[in-house]
Amino acid sequence: MSARRAMGAEKAMAIIFLVALFFAYAGDAPPGVNEAHYLVKAKNFWDPNFCRNDLFAASGKAHLTFYVVFGWLTRVASLELTAWIGRLVGWGLIAAGLVRLGSSLGLRIPWMVMGSVVWLAGIEYGNLAGEWVIGGIEAKVPAYGLALVGLAHVVERRWARAWIWFGGAAAFHVLTGGWAVVSASVAYLIMERPWQSRNDRPRFFSTGLWVGGGLSLLGVIPAWAMSRNVTEAEGIAAARTYAYFRISHHLTPAAFHMGWYIRHGCLAVTTVAMIVWVRRAGWLRPERSDRFAAFGLGAITIGAAGLLIGCLPAVLPDLAAKLLRFYWFRLSDVVVPLVLAMATAGAGQGIWHDHLAGKSRSVWSWLPVVVIMTASVTGLAASAWKRASGGVPISVSNRLLGMESNADYARQRHTMLDWLAVCRFIRASTSPDEVLLTPRHQQTFKWYAHRAEVVNWKDVPQDAASLLQWSQRFVEVFPFRLSTMRTTIRYADLRELRRRYGVRWMIVDHRVAGRELPLVRVYPVGDQSNTTYSVYRLPE
């Protein structure tokens, strides 16, 4: 076998190993965190009759490329099988991107695999705004895979090719690809110094930039369409709802816990120290590692701009809300751990090669690598064990509702089985056009019951007009006087909800509401059994 074929086989094995690692880390049963959100919408895209009366499912399709590429599977496969196929494809793209990036930096396969472990742990335990990469399938997963390949081309100084890959990433998820372009542009300014006269400088405005820009329109145009057909006042109201109410934990710095700042700051300081150490020791290819670090600096610059914008709500709340919608911390949450991961892998590989070459190095030189690797492996193992020991998909765990969040395996399973039972009852006992009132924090009703619901917390539309409707519905169904946790049982209010939304039945979680309600119960009755959920008929 030729050396080239051997290297190709080695890379293929590395990709397979990384996908297996991702499965061990996040391979719990679907639906994952956002799968019920994305795949339900994808199914509605290909079959508009599916939950057609649901505000969220039928609302604007911001991630059109994702729905086109992955959604067709829902026509021939179940949502669960679609999720697994999507995960394998998405994880495969990310694994291929990591191997491609590691190769461009001069890392051998074992060390880039070790670096991937550090990357996953760094994202989970060092993020500032709750970003994640490996989990269920959604639009940003293939986008990150394509962006990693684009970053490898940045490292290799192939700017024109990088823009194309970033454009493909933006087609799937406009912010993931878009912020990658901004970060790469910062790296271009740092490394290529366009203000100086140089003959060997690659052009910024290359054919690749225009091709990538054209690809990105597949993501930009649907995203732009989310703000059409609304007035300026409505657009501001939608932005405020999104940034200050629904997604503040990802967007608004004032909503971040102090612990998030501390952990991300420690991660950033460690990353800078490691990349400087590795660069000075020459353990990664010098110019390539410089471009890699410059890309990381670009991501940090974007995050710093987000922190500055986070100071605006006190003086310019409307402008701040419109700006904060753009997830300023998404890329830095991913790229800072990535730089740490590759620097750690480079240090380990470099020290090992020095040892093999007979160069004397203190045993203490291993200490940073061993500490980071040990912490990463321990953290990932703990996370994987926590997922497995829960006994249920994360999207139906008690933690989402905030009730009995520390329940043991048996209790979690019992609650989930009760949820599946009530969803099966609804699916078997109602017409496909039925609309129901459902518990506030659940996010899998449409996934299991294939029926529409008036509103829930998770499924927030992304087009401005539907987002305003969501906000209105949410406070109507879960009024502030009940801490936005419970549906009212006032007959007059229930009659109004029935009239307005055509809803006849309501699912009640008895962990939130009492068991004796002044309504007609239609499930469970007779020999049916369900200790967690009941279905009631709304008064006419």
Side-chain angles (χ1 to χ4, degrees):
M1 182 182 291
S2 68
R4 187 171 184 178
R5 286 186 177 180
M7 179 59 70
E10 190 178 4
K11 289 182 178 180
M13 290 302 297
I15 292 171
I16 293 171
F17 183 86
L18 285 175
V19 172
L21 171 66
F22 298 158
F23 175 80
Y25 169 62
D28 46 332
V33 175
N34 288 336
E35 282 173 335
H37 188 82
Y38 272 83
L39 293 183
V40 159
K41 207 167 181 66
K43 185 173 178 63
N44 174 267
F45 174 81
W46 284 90
D47 178 10
N49 288 322
F50 174 77
C51 294
R52 64 180 180 181
N53 293 325
D54 187 86
L55 172 65
F56 166 75
S59 64
K61 305 297 191 290
H63 303 290
L64 187 62
T65 302
F66 176 82
Y67 303 139
V68 170
V69 173
F70 289 91
W72 68 270
L73 286 167
T74 63
R75 302 276 300 178
V76 297
S78 67
L79 289 171
E80 288 79 8
L81 181 56
T82 299
W84 276 118
I85 295 172
R87 289 181 187 186
L88 292 175
V89 172
W91 294 348
L93 283 172
I94 289 175
L98 285 171
V99 171
R100 181 71 175 78
L101 175 62
S103 256
S104 70
L105 290 167
L107 291 174
R108 298 302 302 271
I109 297 298
W111 295 102
M112 65 178 69
V113 169
M114 292 176 64
S116 299
V117 173
V118 176
W119 182 51
L120 292 180
I123 293 173
E124 177 165 354
Y125 295 100
N127 69 78
L128 174 63
E131 182 66 345
W132 58 269
V133 175
I134 301 300
I137 183 63
E138 61 169 88
K140 70 179 179 182
V141 176
Y144 275 124
L146 298 175
L148 284 170
V149 179
L151 177 53
H153 285 294
V154 167
V155 167
E156 295 169 357
R157 208 187 180 198
R158 297 176 177 177
W159 297 100
R161 295 184 183 183
W163 305 131
I164 296 173
W165 286 96
F166 292 148
F172 276 97
H173 195 285
V174 65
L175 290 178
T176 299
W179 284 135
V181 169
V182 174
S183 189
S185 299
V186 172
Y188 182 90
L189 289 173
I190 294 172
M191 298 303 301
E192 303 297 345
R193 301 179 181 87
W195 56 87
Q196 295 180 355
S197 177
R198 293 173 57 184
N199 295 325
D200 64 336
R201 182 189 306 115
R203 291 185 298 118
F204 182 85
F205 292 101
S206 60
T207 302
L209 182 66
W210 304 118
V211 173
L215 286 174
S216 73
L217 292 178
L218 297 175
V220 171
I221 292 175
W224 168 79
M226 297 300 100
S227 299
R228 289 190 310 163
N229 302 323
V230 293
T231 65
E232 178 68 16
E234 290 172 334
I236 291 173
R240 290 177 69 112
T241 298
Y242 201 70
Y244 300 148
F245 179 54
R246 178 57 187 85
I247 316 290
S248 61
H249 57 294
H250 289 314
L251 305 181
T252 308
F256 300 166
H257 298 298
M258 180 56 65
W260 299 359
Y261 286 100
I262 294 172
R263 72 188 185 190
H264 194 66
C266 291
L267 178 73
V269 169
T270 304
T271 299
V272 171
M274 283 296 294
I275 194 67
V276 169
W277 180 41
V278 169
R279 174 64 179 83
R280 288 181 176 177
W283 288 327
L284 291 176
R285 297 173 179 174
E287 288 190 7
R288 294 190 174 192
S289 63
D290 287 349
R291 282 188 286 272
F292 181 49
F295 185 91
L297 182 60
I300 292 174
T301 301
I302 295 168
L307 291 177
L308 291 176
I309 294 170
C311 299
L312 291 178
V315 291
L316 296 169
D318 292 346
L319 175 62
K322 294 170 71 173
L323 293 175
L324 287 172
R325 292 177 301 166
F326 297 111
Y327 286 82
W328 294 82
F329 314 100
R330 165 161 276 164
L331 193 65
S332 59
D333 270 2
V334 173
V335 172
V336 173
L338 182 63
V339 175
L340 175 63
M342 295 302 169
T344 303
Q349 177 177 279
I351 296 170
W352 180 249
H353 283 180
D354 287 350
H355 170 73
L356 294 178
K359 298 180 181 179
S360 61
R361 281 199 174 273
S362 168
V363 68
W364 293 104
S365 62
W366 280 103
L367 184 61
V369 177
V370 171
V371 168
I372 292 172
M373 282 302 308
T374 301
S376 299
V377 171
T378 303
L380 287 194
S383 179
W385 173 254
K386 184 177 180 181
R387 286 173 178 262
S389 61
V392 301
I394 189 172
S395 58
V396 295
S397 67
N398 289 4
R399 180 172 61 83
L400 279 181
L401 187 62
M403 301 291 292
E404 302 176 335
S405 57
N406 295 320
D408 59 17
Y409 177 91
R411 183 60 189 167
Q412 288 266 17
R413 292 288 300 177
H414 176 82
T415 302
M416 183 192 75
L417 293 175
D418 278 353
W419 177 243
L420 295 181
V422 73
C423 288
R424 282 195 299 266
F425 168 79
I426 293 297
R427 189 171 178 179
S429 305
T430 64
S431 71
D433 288 336
E434 198 77 45
V435 182
L436 289 90
L437 290 175
T438 57
R440 175 192 193 269
H441 262 124
Q442 65 73 31
Q443 62 184 52
T444 58
F445 176 73
K446 289 185 283 292
W447 179 281
Y448 291 120
H450 290 203
R451 297 294 183 268
E453 52 195 319
V454 178
V455 70
N456 72 40
W457 175 252
K458 175 66 176 178
D459 289 343
V460 55
Q462 292 194 299
D463 64 286
S466 298
L467 178 57
L468 292 175
Q469 292 185 51
W470 175 89
S471 178
Q472 177 184 341
R473 290 186 180 199
F474 188 82
V475 296
E476 286 178 352
V477 174
F478 305 106
F480 285 107
R481 71 173 187 274
L482 299 177
S483 302
T484 68
M485 282 297 295
R486 292 193 293 117
T487 302
T488 179
I489 58 171
R490 291 180 178 176
Y491 272 33
D493 293 341
L494 292 177
R495 288 192 182 101
E496 178 60 21
L497 291 175
R498 180 169 183 155
R499 182 195 67 79
R500 183 171 299 178
Y501 303 116
V503 58
R504 299 187 302 152
W505 289 0
M506 172 174 64
I507 301 176
V508 171
D509 185 336
H510 290 303
R511 294 171 297 171
V512 178
R515 294 188 176 275
E516 300 299 328
L517 300 180
L519 298 167
V520 176
R521 187 170 66 185
V522 296
Y523 171 87
V525 294
D527 60 353
Q528 296 170 330
S529 176
N530 195 315
T531 60
T532 311
Y533 301 98
S534 294
V535 180
Y536 292 90
R537 190 184 306 278
L538 269 62
E540 297 184 13

